[in-house]
Amino acid sequence: MEPFDYRRPGDAATAVRTVAADPSAVFLGGGTNLVDHLKLGVASPGLVVDVTSLTSSEISDHDGGLRIGAAVRNSDLAADRRVRERYPMLARALLAGASGQLRNMATTGGNPLQRTRCVYFQDVTTPCNKRSPGSGCSAIGGYTRYHAVLGASPECIATHPSDLAVALTALDAEVQVLGPVGERTIGFGELHRLPGDRPDRDTVLEHGELITAIDLPEAPIAVNSTYRKVRDRASYAFALVSVAAALRVENGIVRDSRIAFGGVAHKPWRATRAEEVLLDAPATEATYRQAAEAELADAVAVDGIDGGNGFKLPLLVNTLAATLRDLTGEAK
Amino acid sequence: MTPRSIGLDLARRDGPAKVTGTATYAYETAVDRPAYCHPVQATIARGRVTRLDTAAAEALPGVLAVLTEANAERLASTEDGELAVLQSAEVAFRGQLIGCVVAETSETARQAADLVEVAYAEEDHETELTADGDYDAETTGDVETAFAEADFAVDQTYTTAMYHNNPMEPHATTALWADGTLTLWESTQGVHPTRAKVAEVFGLDTERIRVICPYVGGGFGSKGLPHANVVLAAMAARVLPGRPVKLAVTRQQMFSLTGYRTPTIQRARLAADRSGRLSAIAFDVAEQTARVKEFAEQSGKPSRTMYAAPNRRVAHRLAALDVPVTSWMRAPGECPGMFGPEVAMDELADRLGLDPIELRLINDPAEDPESGKPFSSRNLAECLRTGAERFGWADRGPRREGRWLVGCGVAASVYPVNRMPESTAVIRFSGGRYTVDIGAADLGTGTWTTLPQIAADALGVPVDEVEVRIGDTAYPNASVAGGSSGMITWGSAVLDAAAVFREKFGTDPADGDEAEGSVSENPEQENFAMSAFGAQFAEARVHADTGEVRVPRMHGVFAVGRVINPRTTRSQLTGGMTMGLSMALHEQSVLDPRFGHVVNHDLAEYHVAANADAGQITAEWLDEHDPHVNAMGAKGVGEIGIVGAAAAVVNAVYRATGVRVRDLPVTLDKLLPGLSPGPAL
């Protein structure tokens, strides 16, 4: 760990200006990921700007939906009655993530910005294009159990670890951002990038841009929604695959759906092809499996130590089908 | 001796200190002006350090010393390759110690360690265990003919993963070299064995070394033998005489520095007639050891003694690889060695159409198949029968509950009764109370509580009148807490001391009266084979769509002689079973052969069973009387709980799904291809 300066400005605008002015500066939210990275040498900022008290920690009604302040802790968000009733997939995604202690620390603004848990990214003794651009990807040919099957590149096959972000993608959330030149709104699905040849860039945020709030649009469909996370132990593990899904079925026909996958790509994966297959199709097991298979048409399994990640393809088909089956049952 | 205190369900004496945070662990030792040591580790698996530039590290404010092979003291003994720290430029495994920084703060030490620049001449390395190679075999009878003539046979290969001990308290040392004496506050399972080893390595008289360890935050074998970190801490202290130096091994560093269990590749063969009677048992196991130090896991051991069969073969292959040093992990030998064979027994029962309990009962030997001696006590059959009833074995499935496939499995457990012929206890009477001094260890096992129970009965006084002092070489010599031998060994020394005390001073001693006693080999070993036995039962639920495995309940029944304290015993047994569950479903150190190190080297990626994974895990024991093992009639309980547990879980998963997984851990990817997803039937 290298020494760094620490500042706690009086307001968000000052924090943004401070970080924007210093290429070595970073924002500190709950710190559940950054502090690990400081210790491991994965991150070595010159300046840490604490923003935990600079954005709202309130959840408020907003345009028929909800506005979630960036400082709202994961545990508070999961416990909010409006979230649990109107966006159950979001509450379930939050509770599927991390541990109680971590959820008490992690923030709404910080959680989607956590970095991959690829073991090579976190180990500075191994090459990693995301950590040290141009050094190579150790995961390719290595331990790929948790790695991407969709949207990867020859430079990087990492996955995004956030559960919250998968639900926010499915819900078409919007990200309110404050930058050095003012405010802007980013669709949650556009926040994260695919790796391409710049795997070091996780998101489209410019240096110094700060998430101030995340908005959930009004979404009646989300009342019938859930989050299913499949992992290697019953709690406190990252997803092998996860599914955030909302479903509206009328008279045995799927009239609308929102689906996103976690654990399969460099970003939370909005399953638009699956949604297209589902639209106006019979609400049957066959349709659900077809929808999953359509979304996985371009999927690529990666061989590796301990068998690689090819199992994720059938697992995702089964998990989506099972999740939609459950939601169909609840819709009846 | 009449058991009065022995058998009482007493709460841990050290409990309040631990839960209130006042129990002092090695790293927390309050010392003046501590300095902090952080290791520098090799980033190649094999080769030589050609250049070590420490200038930047030394220039960092707060750095007190940088030690490398170039300036480290020459050790008196380098016979133990693991402990020959900084004695050569050779690199024998990735993560090996090649230097350290000592600084005013731990942060500075860590930062400076990162600033040390290292160049290597790298050589090709080999870190992957294979089954191919030479085996050392011991054979009785004619195994091959027995297989050729058998009605039924099982011939399968099973693998267990590489496992790392992950006690809550990582290895830690506070070391002080002052006035020609080295004091080590060390997290260890044996203060005297650590002292002896450090004395040998540094060429010091043992009188000049004191090792102190009142509390240990778990060890499971990884703190049974001193590892390189202790030597490094002592070296660092010697370059700063008068200043204590603290070294806390990080969780990541534990994966290369503090021992682990070898992976195993096991070929288990069983031959039987139609009735299920075994005619041959053959068990070939391949294991690895570090090139730098040989350690041979004795996985074949339990197969020699477990079941009757006239024709027997046990063979080991030990591959020396460019890997970190293998060492003790809970039930070394028995734990991996009872995995393949106990799954093979399940496979054989399946082929015979026999209840797997029945198959084990048919082959329960009247005497030890290896030595021909009678068992001092062998109650495996009773464990199996009692367990079957308590667990509800008759209702073992398979069945389907919604999306879950449910089934139960069983496996047997065994662990030898070990006693070290080395330990001394001193009993002193003062102020109306008895104090027992012995350098024993309590690594969470309960020694602080159970040793007074033994002493109280040995002296014929209430347990409240007895105090023990342990965990310090200032007290008489004691053996390591290992091989489930601690309580048997130290308790025997205490019994001897009490007998001497009563003989010398009677029942009305004077203030200051003191007597010493010790422990020797058990002469009854000539006449009897001695082991503890058990039966483990597990219920597995496997999700039909995802292959996720849940184990809602496990039950173990053990025959472990007389139980000293039901509370600490239950904790040991269920703790072992939980570790076995963890081995079955989760634990796996993933070594990347390109680099030569374990890449999932933290608790987020190396999964141990968490609370949500451990359902209802219960243990009970038979009322077993064994007068031959020792005067207490007690067998060790620290390790038997893990033995067979993983096999019971795997057998349960098979019962639930029809999918036989032979490679641990049982993760969902291994089950998925054999499951039929889709709507409920």
Side-chain angles (χ1 to χ4, degrees), chain B residues 216-231:
Chain B
V216 184
F220 311 109
S222 72
K223 295 170 182 169
L225 297 165
H227 297 293
N229 58 300
V230 186
V231 176

Side-chain angles (χ1 to χ4, degrees), chain A residues 8 40 42 49 58 113 138 167 199-200 226 242 293 314 325:
Chain A
R8 198 166 186 171
L40 294 171
V42 172
V49 177
E58 299 292 318
L113 302 182
S138 297
D200 54 311
T226 193
S242 68
E293 279 154 13
R325 197 192 303 140

Side-chain angles (χ1 to χ4, degrees), chain B residues 385-464:
Chain B
R385 289 195 190 100
T386 303
E389 195 177 315
R390 298 287 164 80
F391 187 75
W393 180 245
D395 187 27
R396 63 186 178 277
R399 63 179 183 276
R400 189 163 178 145
E401 293 179 10
R403 306 303 305 158
W404 294 93
L405 311 170
V406 185
C408 298
V410 65
S413 309
V414 64
Y415 198 82
V417 178
N418 293 322
R419 180 200 296 195
M420 309 287 178
E422 183 184 332
S423 278
T424 301
V426 168
I427 297 179
R428 183 183 165 84
F429 182 74
S430 174
R433 293 171 59 77
Y434 294 87
T435 302
V436 181
D437 289 353
I438 180 167
D442 187 337
L443 56 151
T445 46
T447 313
W448 280 112
T449 313
T450 49
L451 213 47
Q453 292 178 264
I454 294 167
D457 285 353
L459 289 162
V461 300
V463 69
D464 294 346

Side-chain angles (χ1 to χ4, degrees), chain A residues 1-3 39-41 117 119-120 122-123 125-127 137-143 145-146 228-238 240 285 289 305-308 311-312 314-315 318-319 322 325-326, chain B residues 43 94 107 110-111 114 252 403 543-548 550 585-586 588 590-595 597-613 667-670 672 677-680:
Chain A
M1 183 159 71
E2 291 178 28
K39 289 195 275 191
L40 294 171
R117 304 298 166 137
V119 294
Y120 303 99
Q122 298 184 95
D123 182 346
T125 70
T126 61
C137 174
S138 297
I140 295 173
Y143 179 47
R145 184 171 184 79
Y146 290 91
R228 177 74 162 96
K229 181 177 182 181
V230 182
R231 45 186 156 175
D232 274 334
R233 56 181 170 189
S235 72
Y236 197 45
F238 294 98
L240 295 168
E285 183 79 13
R289 302 185 80 82
I305 303 165
D306 194 35
F311 70 91
K312 286 190 177 187
L315 178 60
N318 291 0
T319 305
R325 197 192 303 140
D326 288 349
Chain B
T43 56
R94 188 173 170 116
E107 292 82 0
R110 192 165 182 165
Q111 184 193 357
D114 287 341
Q252 286 87 356
R403 306 303 305 158
H543 198 278
D545 292 304
T546 61
E548 291 159 293
R550 301 286 181 259
L585 300 185
H586 306 298
Q588 178 180 29
V590 179
L591 188 137
D592 188 326
R594 299 167 306 166
F595 301 108
H597 73 309
V598 172
V599 292
N600 59 337
H601 51 196
D602 60 40
L603 291 178
E605 319 298 334
Y606 180 93
H607 287 173
V608 298
N611 277 332
D613 300 299
T667 44
L668 58 85
D669 50 301
K670 295 169 187 169
L672 265 182

